[in-house]
Amino acid sequence: MSSIAPALVAAAVTLAMFALRDVLLPLFAAQRNRREFIAALLAEVEYNIDEIADFRALSAALPVVEAFIRAKNLPPHITDTRHTRVYRESVERLFTLNPETIRRLIVFYNELDTVSGQIDGLQLASFSGISVAGKYKTVERIIDNAKKAQNYGRCAASSLRSAQIRERKKSVRRKIKANNLLLKRKLRKTRLAELLRPQSGRGR
């Protein structure tokens, strides 16, 4: 019996180590998925910010826009280049972020929707029927709202970068904790095996 006991203890401790690993691996996988989600969302926000910056930089000065509208009586050509796929497909995962980050993301994407709706409105028949001053004011609002969206996007991106930093710190702490737990289990296994190891000459 004494020769069997250490083997049983070793087997029990080994099973406990495997059970611990089975618990930790899903946690690590969930954390990795969360980091990937934040990275994808940040990439989309930053891309939209860059697109808005290009739009604002390439847009003609407002007086030129007004002159164009007066001369041509045509709607100015403005392209909606927003990207929202990551956000739209991951709305149910937003709850994993802190409330301020969620708020900033919602405000940013809502402002993108506002700008998009105003751009679509340039092609409506009702737009051609308003005065030159009204058309000019509409374009002016689009440019102003694009600037607001850019600022909101910068705030959202800042929050997401902070979330990335927090996730990296959590990952390091969890790995250290997991390694310490595994090390303790191994030491316990070794100590128990030594305590239960048959001593030479015992029982003779």
Side-chain angles (χ1 to χ4, degrees):
M1 291 291 293
S2 60
S3 61
I4 297 175
L8 291 176
V9 172
V13 175
T14 300
L15 287 173
M17 290 173 63
F18 277 115
L20 178 63
R21 187 192 65 180
D22 291 341
V23 171
L24 292 175
L25 287 179
L27 291 176
F28 289 149
Q31 188 179 43
R32 183 174 60 252
N33 291 338
R34 178 179 161 85
R35 290 199 304 269
E36 291 172 353
F37 161 61
I38 293 173
L41 197 51
L42 176 59
E44 183 174 83
V45 170
E46 289 180 331
Y47 187 87
N48 280 311
I49 293 171
D50 291 342
E51 287 291 298
I52 295 170
D54 289 343
F55 162 69
R56 294 184 61 212
L58 296 174
S59 293
L62 284 173
V64 176
V65 173
E66 184 177 18
F68 173 83
I69 293 173
R70 288 185 182 278
K72 303 293 185 180
N73 196 29
L74 293 172
H77 178 70
I78 301 177
T79 304
D80 179 12
T81 58
R82 68 193 170 124
H83 297 269
T84 62
R85 180 176 178 179
V86 175
Y87 176 76
R88 301 293 181 196
E89 294 181 358
S90 306
V91 170
E92 72 280 359
R93 301 180 65 181
L94 291 181
F95 76 93
T96 63
L97 304 172
N98 67 55
E100 180 59 19
T101 302
I102 295 172
R103 185 191 69 79
R104 291 181 175 186
L105 285 167
I106 290 173
V107 169
F108 170 59
Y109 281 97
N110 281 351
E111 195 63 31
L112 286 183
D113 286 343
T114 296
V115 173
S116 176
Q118 290 173 329
I119 291 174
D120 291 343
L122 298 178
Q123 307 304 319
L124 297 177
S126 57
F127 180 79
S128 61
I130 64 177
S131 66
V132 170
K135 292 175 181 175
Y136 170 77
K137 197 67 179 177
T138 300
V139 174
E140 188 178 39
R141 279 198 299 269
I142 291 173
I143 294 174
D144 287 344
N145 287 336
K147 182 179 179 180
K148 286 168 61 178
Q150 187 178 25
N151 291 333
Y152 292 150
R154 286 170 177 162
C155 291
S158 177
S159 289
L160 289 170
R161 290 190 199 98
S162 296
Q164 280 187 318
I165 293 171
R166 288 193 297 271
E167 286 302 309
R168 282 195 290 267
K169 289 180 178 178
K170 284 182 185 177
S171 178
V172 171
R173 286 197 297 267
R174 284 177 180 173
K175 286 179 181 178
I176 291 173
K177 186 176 181 180
N179 288 335
N180 288 339
L181 285 172
L182 290 172
L183 180 59
K184 287 179 182 178
R185 296 266 181 160
K186 289 179 181 179
L187 289 173
R188 193 174 298 137
K189 173 183 175 181
T190 302
R191 288 171 184 168
L192 286 172
E194 288 176 352
L195 288 172
L196 295 172
R197 183 180 299 136
Q199 295 181 5
S200 59
R202 175 178 289 186
R204 292 182 179 178

PDB file of all heavy atoms in Angstrom, residues 47-60:
ATOM      1  N   TYR A  47      -9.363  54.812 -38.826  1.00  0.00           N
ATOM      2  CA  TYR A  47      -9.542  54.926 -40.276  1.00  0.00           C
ATOM      3  C   TYR A  47     -10.576  55.994 -40.610  1.00  0.00           C
ATOM      4  O   TYR A  47     -10.379  56.817 -41.514  1.00  0.00           O
ATOM      5  CB  TYR A  47      -9.967  53.574 -40.858  1.00  0.00           C
ATOM      6  CG  TYR A  47     -10.006  53.564 -42.367  1.00  0.00           C
ATOM      7  CD1 TYR A  47      -8.866  53.265 -43.109  1.00  0.00           C
ATOM      8  CD2 TYR A  47     -11.178  53.866 -43.065  1.00  0.00           C
ATOM      9  CE1 TYR A  47      -8.888  53.265 -44.491  1.00  0.00           C
ATOM     10  CE2 TYR A  47     -11.208  53.870 -44.445  1.00  0.00           C
ATOM     11  CZ  TYR A  47     -10.060  53.570 -45.151  1.00  0.00           C
ATOM     12  OH  TYR A  47     -10.096  53.592 -46.527  1.00  0.00           O
ATOM     13  N   ASN A  48     -11.680  55.992 -39.876  1.00  0.00           N
ATOM     14  CA  ASN A  48     -12.715  57.006 -40.101  1.00  0.00           C
ATOM     15  C   ASN A  48     -12.190  58.412 -39.803  1.00  0.00           C
ATOM     16  O   ASN A  48     -12.511  59.363 -40.523  1.00  0.00           O
ATOM     17  CB  ASN A  48     -13.939  56.706 -39.228  1.00  0.00           C
ATOM     18  CG  ASN A  48     -14.826  55.626 -39.822  1.00  0.00           C
ATOM     19  OD1 ASN A  48     -15.185  55.663 -40.986  1.00  0.00           O
ATOM     20  ND2 ASN A  48     -15.185  54.650 -39.011  1.00  0.00           N
ATOM     21  N   ILE A  49     -11.397  58.541 -38.761  1.00  0.00           N
ATOM     22  CA  ILE A  49     -10.808  59.848 -38.429  1.00  0.00           C
ATOM     23  C   ILE A  49      -9.944  60.340 -39.582  1.00  0.00           C
ATOM     24  O   ILE A  49     -10.003  61.514 -39.975  1.00  0.00           O
ATOM     25  CB  ILE A  49      -9.975  59.757 -37.134  1.00  0.00           C
ATOM     26  CG1 ILE A  49     -10.881  59.484 -35.933  1.00  0.00           C
ATOM     27  CG2 ILE A  49      -9.194  61.049 -36.898  1.00  0.00           C
ATOM     28  CD1 ILE A  49     -10.115  59.160 -34.653  1.00  0.00           C
ATOM     29  N   ASP A  50      -9.119  59.446 -40.131  1.00  0.00           N
ATOM     30  CA  ASP A  50      -8.248  59.813 -41.251  1.00  0.00           C
ATOM     31  C   ASP A  50      -9.066  60.201 -42.485  1.00  0.00           C
ATOM     32  O   ASP A  50      -8.709  61.151 -43.208  1.00  0.00           O
ATOM     33  CB  ASP A  50      -7.306  58.656 -41.601  1.00  0.00           C
ATOM     34  CG  ASP A  50      -6.253  58.414 -40.525  1.00  0.00           C
ATOM     35  OD1 ASP A  50      -6.036  59.330 -39.702  1.00  0.00           O
ATOM     36  OD2 ASP A  50      -5.666  57.315 -40.503  1.00  0.00           O
ATOM     37  N   GLU A  51     -10.146  59.471 -42.728  1.00  0.00           N
ATOM     38  CA  GLU A  51     -11.006  59.786 -43.873  1.00  0.00           C
ATOM     39  C   GLU A  51     -11.642  61.172 -43.719  1.00  0.00           C
ATOM     40  O   GLU A  51     -11.726  61.941 -44.681  1.00  0.00           O
ATOM     41  CB  GLU A  51     -12.098  58.724 -44.019  1.00  0.00           C
ATOM     42  CG  GLU A  51     -11.607  57.389 -44.554  1.00  0.00           C
ATOM     43  CD  GLU A  51     -11.197  57.469 -46.007  1.00  0.00           C
ATOM     44  OE1 GLU A  51     -12.048  57.768 -46.856  1.00  0.00           O
ATOM     45  OE2 GLU A  51     -10.003  57.247 -46.285  1.00  0.00           O
ATOM     46  N   ILE A  52     -12.080  61.480 -42.505  1.00  0.00           N
ATOM     47  CA  ILE A  52     -12.673  62.797 -42.257  1.00  0.00           C
ATOM     48  C   ILE A  52     -11.622  63.885 -42.429  1.00  0.00           C
ATOM     49  O   ILE A  52     -11.901  64.954 -43.005  1.00  0.00           O
ATOM     50  CB  ILE A  52     -13.276  62.857 -40.835  1.00  0.00           C
ATOM     51  CG1 ILE A  52     -14.460  61.885 -40.715  1.00  0.00           C
ATOM     52  CG2 ILE A  52     -13.747  64.277 -40.517  1.00  0.00           C
ATOM     53  CD1 ILE A  52     -14.954  61.707 -39.289  1.00  0.00           C
ATOM     54  N   ALA A  53     -10.410  63.622 -41.941  1.00  0.00           N
ATOM     55  CA  ALA A  53      -9.330  64.606 -42.084  1.00  0.00           C
ATOM     56  C   ALA A  53      -9.039  64.873 -43.556  1.00  0.00           C
ATOM     57  O   ALA A  53      -8.846  66.027 -43.966  1.00  0.00           O
ATOM     58  CB  ALA A  53      -8.078  64.108 -41.373  1.00  0.00           C
ATOM     59  N   ASP A  54      -9.021  63.812 -44.366  1.00  0.00           N
ATOM     60  CA  ASP A  54      -8.792  63.980 -45.816  1.00  0.00           C
ATOM     61  C   ASP A  54      -9.929  64.779 -46.446  1.00  0.00           C
ATOM     62  O   ASP A  54      -9.693  65.648 -47.297  1.00  0.00           O
ATOM     63  CB  ASP A  54      -8.682  62.608 -46.490  1.00  0.00           C
ATOM     64  CG  ASP A  54      -7.391  61.883 -46.135  1.00  0.00           C
ATOM     65  OD1 ASP A  54      -6.458  62.560 -45.644  1.00  0.00           O
ATOM     66  OD2 ASP A  54      -7.323  60.662 -46.336  1.00  0.00           O
ATOM     67  N   PHE A  55     -11.154  64.463 -46.051  1.00  0.00           N
ATOM     68  CA  PHE A  55     -12.317  65.177 -46.583  1.00  0.00           C
ATOM     69  C   PHE A  55     -12.224  66.669 -46.264  1.00  0.00           C
ATOM     70  O   PHE A  55     -12.436  67.528 -47.138  1.00  0.00           O
ATOM     71  CB  PHE A  55     -13.596  64.590 -45.995  1.00  0.00           C
ATOM     72  CG  PHE A  55     -14.801  65.489 -46.116  1.00  0.00           C
ATOM     73  CD1 PHE A  55     -15.377  65.750 -47.349  1.00  0.00           C
ATOM     74  CD2 PHE A  55     -15.362  66.077 -44.984  1.00  0.00           C
ATOM     75  CE1 PHE A  55     -16.489  66.589 -47.463  1.00  0.00           C
ATOM     76  CE2 PHE A  55     -16.464  66.908 -45.087  1.00  0.00           C
ATOM     77  CZ  PHE A  55     -17.022  67.172 -46.334  1.00  0.00           C
ATOM     78  N   ARG A  56     -11.890  66.989 -45.033  1.00  0.00           N
ATOM     79  CA  ARG A  56     -11.810  68.389 -44.633  1.00  0.00           C
ATOM     80  C   ARG A  56     -10.646  69.104 -45.318  1.00  0.00           C
ATOM     81  O   ARG A  56     -10.740  70.273 -45.689  1.00  0.00           O
ATOM     82  CB  ARG A  56     -11.674  68.497 -43.120  1.00  0.00           C
ATOM     83  CG  ARG A  56     -12.907  68.017 -42.367  1.00  0.00           C
ATOM     84  CD  ARG A  56     -12.756  68.226 -40.873  1.00  0.00           C
ATOM     85  NE  ARG A  56     -12.592  69.651 -40.582  1.00  0.00           N
ATOM     86  CZ  ARG A  56     -11.872  70.113 -39.566  1.00  0.00           C
ATOM     87  NH1 ARG A  56     -11.225  69.284 -38.767  1.00  0.00           N
ATOM     88  NH2 ARG A  56     -11.800  71.411 -39.354  1.00  0.00           N
ATOM     89  N   ALA A  57      -9.539  68.387 -45.506  1.00  0.00           N
ATOM     90  CA  ALA A  57      -8.368  69.004 -46.130  1.00  0.00           C
ATOM     91  C   ALA A  57      -8.590  69.251 -47.619  1.00  0.00           C
ATOM     92  O   ALA A  57      -8.110  70.246 -48.176  1.00  0.00           O
ATOM     93  CB  ALA A  57      -7.150  68.112 -45.930  1.00  0.00           C
ATOM     94  N   LEU A  58      -9.326  68.324 -48.261  1.00  0.00           N
ATOM     95  CA  LEU A  58      -9.522  68.423 -49.707  1.00  0.00           C
ATOM     96  C   LEU A  58     -10.755  69.230 -50.089  1.00  0.00           C
ATOM     97  O   LEU A  58     -10.926  69.580 -51.260  1.00  0.00           O
ATOM     98  CB  LEU A  58      -9.631  67.012 -50.311  1.00  0.00           C
ATOM     99  CG  LEU A  58      -8.370  66.139 -50.177  1.00  0.00           C
ATOM    100  CD1 LEU A  58      -8.642  64.730 -50.686  1.00  0.00           C
ATOM    101  CD2 LEU A  58      -7.197  66.760 -50.941  1.00  0.00           C
ATOM    102  N   SER A  59     -11.620  69.486 -49.116  1.00  0.00           N
ATOM    103  CA  SER A  59     -12.835  70.248 -49.421  1.00  0.00           C
ATOM    104  C   SER A  59     -12.470  71.680 -49.808  1.00  0.00           C
ATOM    105  O   SER A  59     -11.571  72.294 -49.217  1.00  0.00           O
ATOM    106  CB  SER A  59     -13.769  70.278 -48.208  1.00  0.00           C
ATOM    107  OG  SER A  59     -14.267  68.998 -47.939  1.00  0.00           O
ATOM    108  N   ALA A  60     -13.182  72.199 -50.788  1.00  0.00           N
ATOM    109  CA  ALA A  60     -12.946  73.587 -51.196  1.00  0.00           C
ATOM    110  C   ALA A  60     -13.393  74.527 -50.089  1.00  0.00           C
ATOM    111  O   ALA A  60     -14.224  74.180 -49.249  1.00  0.00           O
ATOM    112  CB  ALA A  60     -13.719  73.882 -52.479  1.00  0.00           C
TER     113      ALA A  60
END
